[in-house]
Amino acid sequence: MLSKEQFENFLKKYPDNELCPEAILYSAKSDFFLGNKQEAYTKLAEFLLNDKMKKFHPKAYLTLSEYYFHDKLYNSAEKYLQDLIDKYPNSDEYEEAFFRLGEIYNIAKDYEKSSQEFSKFLKHGFSRNRKLDARYYIAFNNVMFGRAELAIKQIKKLLKDEYRESKISRIKLIEARANVILGHYKTAETEFENLIKDNHRKKIAANASYFLGNMYFKNLHDYE
């Protein structure tokens, strides 16, 4: 509440200050986290209609997409990301918006569109880390499509290129899932068990436990 009050007081006292656009955005963010979601959406929509704030419009588009994503309104989140990508290709927010669009399609289980967006993403001169993450999602999407052989090839290459230890386990998890699809159950079993052992009490270990149990139940019919 203090944050919202402070920003609103600032806007009343210094309406022509160069920091006003940022203050409006932070005021809207405060509204959202206070539960005044409609007020936050309204402020941001009005912000986008103000040509004086045009320099900061990409931030507003990104913020709106975040909030619609938070509320699981994926179509609206997608719309604002696409608007940002189309209108502001030279903005600082462009790379983030492009990546999030592919990510939203993945979360919404539209794996084909997700892969299409990430494939386009890889053709740009974006950061190395983001490109590695994009390749992960493309492999993941292929696993979900059942294109396991292609996914395995992509995963093997990705594991050679990925230098961030924190990202290795999630790649190995989809590798194990791809091996289940291919019927390589012993290999998948070993991969799942290693993930559980090496990631004690972490979410990735819980996921590996679930998919290992799923393999025993659905594929091997080993109910015990």
Side-chain angles (χ1 to χ4, degrees):
M1 184 64 78
L2 289 175
S3 171
K4 176 179 165 64
E5 288 177 2
Q6 191 64 37
F7 285 124
E8 291 185 349
N9 286 336
F10 172 84
L11 289 166
K12 286 176 185 176
K13 289 181 181 178
Y14 312 104
D16 298 319
N17 191 280
E18 62 181 9
L19 293 174
C20 279
E22 294 275 17
I24 294 170
L25 291 175
Y26 278 115
S27 175
K29 289 179 180 181
S30 298
D31 279 321
F32 188 87
F33 290 113
L34 285 169
N36 306 324
K37 292 185 178 181
Q38 193 52 55
E39 192 172 342
Y41 284 132
T42 300
K43 277 183 183 176
L44 290 167
E46 289 175 351
F47 187 91
L48 288 173
L49 294 174
N50 189 339
D51 285 339
K52 292 180 180 178
M53 308 292 182
K54 199 157 189 176
K55 180 182 174 183
F56 295 87
H57 281 183
K59 283 188 178 181
Y61 277 115
L62 200 57
T63 302
L64 271 166
S65 74
E66 284 176 11
Y67 294 164
Y68 280 117
F69 176 80
H70 183 274
D71 286 343
K72 297 183 179 179
L73 299 169
Y74 299 131
N75 287 340
S76 295
E78 173 199 334
K79 174 189 177 299
Y80 283 103
L81 287 172
Q82 193 63 62
D83 283 348
L84 195 167
I85 291 166
D86 293 341
K87 295 177 182 178
Y88 301 96
N90 298 316
S91 67
D92 291 339
E93 292 76 16
Y94 182 71
E95 178 178 339
E96 184 67 21
F98 212 138
F99 185 86
R100 285 190 192 179
L101 186 59
E103 200 170 34
I104 282 176
Y105 284 132
N106 173 273
I107 291 165
K109 299 183 178 180
D110 191 339
Y111 302 117
E112 185 173 0
K113 274 193 176 181
S114 176
S115 286
Q116 287 172 357
E117 290 302 319
F118 282 123
S119 293
K120 287 190 282 186
F121 184 92
L122 291 174
K123 293 176 182 176
H124 287 70
F126 293 139
S127 65
R128 180 186 179 189
N129 286 357
R130 281 302 203 195
K131 284 191 170 185
L132 288 168
D133 291 336
R135 287 169 58 191
Y136 162 80
Y137 274 111
I138 290 171
F140 178 93
N141 292 335
N142 280 323
V143 172
M144 299 310 292
F145 266 130
R147 297 196 285 249
E149 287 187 13
L150 176 58
I152 288 288
K153 287 179 184 176
Q154 293 168 335
I155 289 164
K156 295 292 185 189
K157 179 70 167 63
L158 184 56
L159 284 170
K160 288 179 182 177
D161 296 339
E162 180 58 82
Y163 65 97
R164 298 168 297 175
E165 285 295 325
S166 61
K167 303 292 184 179
I168 298 296
S169 292
R170 70 172 186 170
I171 301 170
K172 288 185 175 179
L173 180 63
I174 61 169
E175 183 179 27
R177 294 178 67 184
N179 276 315
V180 172
I181 295 169
L182 292 170
H184 302 160
Y185 301 126
K186 277 293 180 186
T187 301
E189 182 181 46
T190 300
E191 289 170 336
F192 284 133
E193 287 177 346
N194 285 339
L195 283 165
I196 294 165
K197 181 181 70 176
D198 295 340
N199 297 277
H200 186 57
R201 294 187 178 276
K202 293 181 182 177
K203 184 179 178 182
I204 198 80
N207 289 341
S209 289
Y210 171 82
F211 289 116
L212 178 57
N214 197 56
M215 182 185 77
Y216 287 141
F217 185 88
K218 286 187 177 179
N219 302 92
L220 297 175
H221 310 294
D222 187 343
Y223 304 118
E224 184 179 354

